[in-house]
Amino acid sequence: MKFYINKFSLLAIVWFVAGIYSLIFKESGNTPPPFPNFDKVAHFALFFAQIWLLAKSYIHEKAKIPYLGLLIFALLFAVGSEWAQATFTTTREGSIGDGIADMLGTGAALWVASKINASKNPSSSQSN
């Protein structure tokens, strides 16, 4: 899987670092969430944005999106981040529900990317 360096991949790297910080190094506060299951929405959005930026870096280069590679990356990131939250933080916990939200965000981003890629690059819409 080739990794392209462009503005979208650089944003994906920044987003990844910010995600690691927010999930593992930043302790959660004592304030109640704005609505029930807010954390699930946050996990969905975090992974949607991460995978969308990575997919967009391929779309920008008019290259085939490595759907399986991005899916595996997201799965490893989800499992790793949930494990790290359970192991290394005192105010957070690992959650299967959060992992499911992570993968739903991933799936949504890959679906959107496939639709946009198919409209922009009909010959590049097949997965690697």
Side-chain angles (χ1 to χ4, degrees), residues 2-117:
K2 183 173 175 150
F3 185 75
Y4 293 97
I5 301 296
N6 56 42
K7 62 185 174 184
F8 299 104
S9 58
L10 294 176
L11 283 171
I13 292 167
V14 170
W15 188 258
F16 182 76
V17 170
I20 293 292
Y21 172 76
S22 68
L23 290 172
I24 299 166
F25 295 107
K26 184 179 181 219
E27 297 290 330
S28 65
N30 293 334
T31 59
F35 53 86
N37 296 313
F38 174 77
D39 63 322
K40 306 300 181 267
V41 174
H43 277 263
F44 180 97
L46 175 75
F47 274 71
F48 180 92
Q50 181 70 62
I51 300 305
W52 165 247
L53 287 170
L54 289 170
K56 181 66 176 163
S57 72
Y58 288 89
I59 294 170
H60 181 74
E61 299 293 332
K62 295 180 176 45
K64 291 182 179 179
I65 299 171
Y67 294 100
L68 182 59
L70 293 176
L71 187 65
I72 291 169
F73 163 76
L75 183 60
L76 293 173
F77 183 25
V79 170
S81 67
E82 292 307 314
W83 173 80
Q85 286 179 74
T87 306
F88 300 120
T89 67
T90 57
T91 60
R92 296 181 184 272
E93 59 185 37
S95 161
I96 291 174
D98 288 350
I100 291 169
D102 296 340
M103 296 313 294
L104 288 172
T106 296
L110 291 175
W111 180 80
V112 168
S114 73
K115 296 301 179 190
I116 291 173
N117 192 44

